[in-house]
Amino acid sequence: MSVNPSIAFAAVALQSDRDTPAQTPTFLHGLTGGTPYAVSKSTASRAVSCGNRAASNARVESIEANPTVNTLCYPDVFPLYLFAALGAIKSQKADDVGSGYYRHTITMGAKLPYLTLWGQLDTGVGMTSGCRVGNLSLTASGNDYLDASISLMGIDSKFGLPQIPGSLNASCYGGQFITTDCQFKLDTASDTPKDALVAEASFTIENNAAAQSSLGRAMPRDIGYGQLAAGVNVTTIPDDFKQFQKMLTGSESATEVSSRVVFGSVYAKFILDSDEKQSIEVKYDHVPFSAEFPEADPEGNEATIQFSCDSAIVRDAKSSPVTFTVVNKVASYQAAHAAASARSRRA
């Protein structure tokens, strides 16, 4: 029987450091697509004249582990991916919501943690360790579930495992964040967004990750990263041109196009379909939007304006251009880091 791609899982855990893979996953969840185990091996030959026109040698030039995870935003595992993409998380009890709930605030940090990722497709099971998140995107449209796409790069890989270790229950059955009854706010000229009618929106986190090589090793020795680019794309269904005017001029009353950068903001809140106490909030501050004026249409229909930005700007040295706040029933996402710190203190 052929391989069945409809049987697929991803599992993930936080590593204590770069060189120590997690032994068992913390979360197991379903997929909407992607390749949760992906390794490519490239070969090359050195040009040597050996009396004929064919190559006479071959070597492994590089091996790259680049898994991708396309999934719904499950409330337990998604904050871990956000933490891995941004680098800082603060967790505390959410007593204002109810007993047993926790609030996790995820912002830009100086260092990105490492993950171990297991992937299963039919009976094929692989593991990639030393993973860092290269980019993460969150998409909201219509009256549908939130979609997430995460691309990772790893430094070591194994394939042909008998199974994903452990005996976790999959996150698939505990509910997902959905756009139904969501809140969405936008302002193109201030850090105080206002209610907006939106057709669709996407939020992206790009870390400019790159594999770092070393002498004598085909796999990367580490995964480096550069500046964070926090992008946003919002398609609005406007009643008027106020937001467009503010983006150009800096205020509703001004008519002259400003030669200065005008900063806006976006806020969204989505509720879990099975528990309204669990939520995810997204806030992008200091966003220099761009947009194009709607085109004329003899057929009529409703006009839309798409406001977009490739990278929100930090306000000062201690600020974050993007903040995710998740309320769920997971107490902490930093157990691996805490254990590593404890070992260091004992040593």
Side-chain angles (χ1 to χ4, degrees), residues 12-320:
V12 64
L14 190 69
Q15 294 186 191
S16 59
D17 55 58
R18 182 192 64 186
D19 301 319
T20 308
Q23 297 302 304
T24 57
T26 309
F27 301 103
L28 174 72
H29 64 88
L31 300 168
T32 59
T35 50
Y37 179 82
V39 173
S40 61
K41 180 190 291 186
S42 63
T43 59
S45 62
R46 186 67 179 270
V48 180
S49 178
C50 288
N52 57 50
R53 294 185 299 113
S56 61
N57 58 58
R59 63 183 172 84
V60 176
E61 187 172 41
S62 66
I63 301 174
E64 295 183 350
N66 300 310
T68 59
V69 176
N70 296 345
T71 183
L72 300 181
C73 291
Y74 300 110
D76 54 357
V77 64
F78 191 55
L80 178 57
Y81 286 123
L82 287 172
F83 172 36
L86 282 170
I89 187 169
K90 180 180 179 182
S91 303
Q92 58 188 11
K93 290 183 177 180
D95 292 331
D96 57 317
V97 175
S99 177
Y101 292 89
Y102 298 86
R103 180 174 287 107
H104 310 281
T105 304
I106 305 144
T107 55
M108 180 181 67
K111 293 184 178 181
L112 298 183
Y114 295 91
L115 301 175
T116 299
L117 184 77
W118 290 263
Q120 177 179 341
L121 189 66
D122 200 347
T123 58
V125 178
M127 182 192 82
T128 310
S129 61
C131 291
R132 275 177 161 159
V133 173
N135 57 67
L136 179 150
S137 66
L138 175 66
T139 304
S141 61
N143 191 45
D144 204 346
Y145 295 109
L146 296 187
D147 281 302
S149 179
I150 304 104
S151 297
L152 306 100
M153 301 182 74
I155 61 175
D156 274 310
S157 182
K158 294 180 180 180
F159 188 68
L161 303 178
Q163 62 185 22
I164 295 175
S167 56
L168 292 171
N169 293 322
S171 300
C172 309
Y173 311 108
Q176 304 93 38
F177 292 117
I178 194 168
T179 61
T180 305
D181 297 326
C182 70
Q183 299 179 36
F184 207 101
K185 298 182 179 183
L186 167 76
D187 196 272
T188 58
S190 80
D191 288 334
T192 308
K194 304 172 181 62
D195 289 340
L197 188 61
V198 172
E200 59 183 10
S202 63
F203 304 92
T204 58
I205 299 167
E206 172 61 56
N207 287 312
N208 296 299
Q212 298 177 340
S213 61
S214 63
L215 184 67
R217 181 179 166 91
M219 294 287 287
R221 63 175 172 82
D222 202 353
I223 306 299
Y225 52 92
Q227 284 192 329
L228 169 70
V232 59
N233 194 312
V234 181
T235 301
T236 64
I237 308 171
D239 292 327
D240 51 44
F241 292 103
K242 289 181 180 179
Q243 293 289 359
F244 189 87
Q245 180 181 355
K246 288 195 292 183
M247 182 197 70
L248 293 178
T249 66
S251 71
E252 288 186 17
S253 58
T255 57
E256 293 287 338
V257 176
S258 174
S259 59
R260 298 181 178 180
V261 177
V262 177
F263 292 102
S265 58
V266 171
Y267 168 85
K269 182 177 182 180
F270 305 96
I271 304 298
L272 195 69
D273 59 351
S274 61
D275 181 1
E276 62 180 13
K277 292 183 178 180
Q278 299 189 54
S279 63
I280 179 170
E281 297 176 81
V282 189
K283 180 73 187 302
Y284 275 57
D285 289 320
H286 231 46
V287 182
F289 282 113
S290 62
E292 293 186 1
F293 199 77
E295 294 184 3
D297 184 356
E299 299 293 331
N301 302 316
E302 62 182 13
T304 61
I305 299 178
Q306 186 179 81
F307 295 99
S308 61
C309 171
D310 292 332
S311 184
I313 308 299
V314 291
R315 193 191 311 269
D316 52 57
K318 295 183 179 181
S319 67
S320 175

